[in-house]
């Protein structure tokens, strides 16, 4: 336990911690209930919306002040939106759109100390249920991760809206789901911390396992439903996996190599155009290679990825015939990521490059 006082003693107690939104609501037409839900939290709502979603779907809250998200979540953009929300006297924040618009709304909620309702219009990543606010600079590089004091008050997903979003975005959501079971178990085995500075509870492992089982069973059918733009049971299951199970799976389960690799991949200029979930799908293959999974197991995961249209090689992400220098650019920031401690064998620059090369060669 050591002699470093309360903090170390606290961590040494190995507390298991799980965090979640107070309520999660999902289904076709769910957004019709938004005014009633918002009315339980405040009287002067501000809607912070992605312009693409707003123009396609309209404002789901007739009496709200509407602020259009400008496209990149920077400190300056959060400050601009927070000023406007304050000027409108807002006492409850609603965030509508993809990950960056939602995180901007979280930033405004944090600055105003107001409750927040999150309305994802795509199921492309694991951001909506979490406390994390990922802030970028003008060059689209991550500069900081802020945290809400608590998870969002309500997360409301209208699957009729999600079904109208492009197929590539749902595929990316499936990609973000793929890693969670491998990362949560790796974090738990290593005795690592989740995003609440606690140990991984059994509940989070079960959620991460259910996330993976569901996308393997229903992922392909859900993408077909997305092509038809009509939600069905498979799409409902996969959207719940991509938003709820994946979100709780990472925040309470903990992360490992697959998400650490997104730091290295985004540091390479040729890979900057890929979606987060596409990078995570590829990162999953690298993690299981690093962890020593046999060839058949890895081939099975890669075949599923390919069937979803997700990348399985660096060439699929825009980097053909990677050189030693390319591998070095990717491996450096990956090794520096804090979740890299959550592995069954210690990682090094060489072990990361070897895993990358194993995926390229398979
Ligand atoms: Zn993710």
């Amino acid at each position: 336990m050591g002699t470093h006082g309360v903090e170390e003693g606290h961590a040494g107690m190995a507390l298991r911690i799980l965090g979640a939104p107070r309520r999660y609501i999902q289904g076709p037409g769910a957004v019709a209930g938004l005014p009633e839900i918002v009315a339980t939290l405040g009287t002067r709502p501000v809607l912070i919306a992605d312009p693409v979603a707003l123009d396609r779907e309209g404002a789901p809250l007739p009496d709200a002040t509407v602020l259009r998200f400008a496209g990149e979540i920077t400190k300056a953009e959060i400050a601009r939106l927070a000023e406007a929300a304050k000027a409108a006297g807002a006492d409850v924040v609603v965030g509508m759109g993809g990950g960056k618009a939602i995180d901007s709304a979280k930033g405004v909620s944090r600055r105003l100390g107001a409750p927040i309702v999150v309305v994802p219009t795509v199921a492309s990543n694991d951001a909506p249920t979490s406390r994390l606010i990922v802030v970028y600079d003008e060059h689209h590089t991550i500069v900081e991760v802020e945290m809400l004091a608590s998870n969002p008050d309500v997360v409301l997903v209208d699957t009729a809206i999600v079904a109208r979003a492009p197929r590539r975005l749902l595929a990316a959501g499936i990609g973000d789901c793929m890693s969670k079971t491998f990362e949560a178990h790796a974090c738990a085995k290593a005795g690592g911390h989740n995003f609440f500075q606690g140990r991984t509870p059994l509940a989070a492992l079960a959620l991460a396992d259910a996330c993976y089982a569901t996308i393997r069973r229903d992922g392909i059918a859900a993408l077909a439903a997305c092509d038809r733009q009509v939600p069905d049971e498979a799409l409902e299951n996969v959207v719940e996996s991509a938003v709820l199970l994946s979100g709780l799976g990472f925040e309470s389960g903990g992360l490992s190599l697959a998400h650490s690799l997104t730091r290295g991949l985004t540091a390479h200029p040729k890979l900057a155009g890929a979606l987060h979930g596409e990078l995570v799908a590829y990162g999953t293959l690298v993690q299981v290679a690093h962890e020593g999974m046999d060839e058949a197991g890895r081939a099975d995961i890669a075949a599923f990825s390919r069937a979803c249209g997700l990348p399985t090689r660096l060439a699929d992400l825009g980097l053909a015939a990677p050189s030693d220098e390319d591998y070095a650019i990717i491996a450096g920031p990956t090794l520096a990521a804090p979740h890299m401690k959550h592995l069954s064998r210690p990682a090094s620059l060489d072990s990361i490059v070897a895993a990358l090369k194993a995926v390229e060669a398979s």
Side-chain angles (χ1 to χ4, degrees), residues 34 38 43-48 59-67 88 92-94:
L34 186 62
V38 169
T43 54
R44 288 186 304 282
V46 61
L47 174 70
I48 294 169
L61 212 52
D63 300 328
T65 301
V66 178
L67 302 176
V92 51
V93 178
V94 180

Side-chain angles (χ1 to χ4, degrees), residues 79-151:
R80 178 187 76 85
L81 293 167
E83 272 314 307
K86 216 178 279 176
D91 61 0
V92 51
V93 178
V94 180
M96 170 182 173
K100 289 187 175 184
I102 287 170
D103 277 10
S104 296
K106 288 181 192 169
V108 172
S109 154
R110 182 167 179 257
R111 280 155 183 75
L112 266 56
I116 178 162
V117 178
V118 172
V119 184
T121 54
V122 294
S124 63
N125 63 63
D126 53 18
T129 62
S130 83
R131 296 180 304 145
L132 277 67
I133 304 165
V134 182
V135 183
Y136 295 76
D137 65 16
E138 329 49 82
H139 310 294
H140 313 292
T141 305
I142 296 176
V143 287
E144 195 184 337
V145 179
E146 296 183 12
M147 293 273 186
L148 284 170
S150 303
N151 292 74

Side-chain angles (χ1 to χ4, degrees), residues 126 176 180 259 276 280:
D126 53 18
D176 207 5
K180 301 302 157 56
H259 271 74
H276 170 75
V280 173

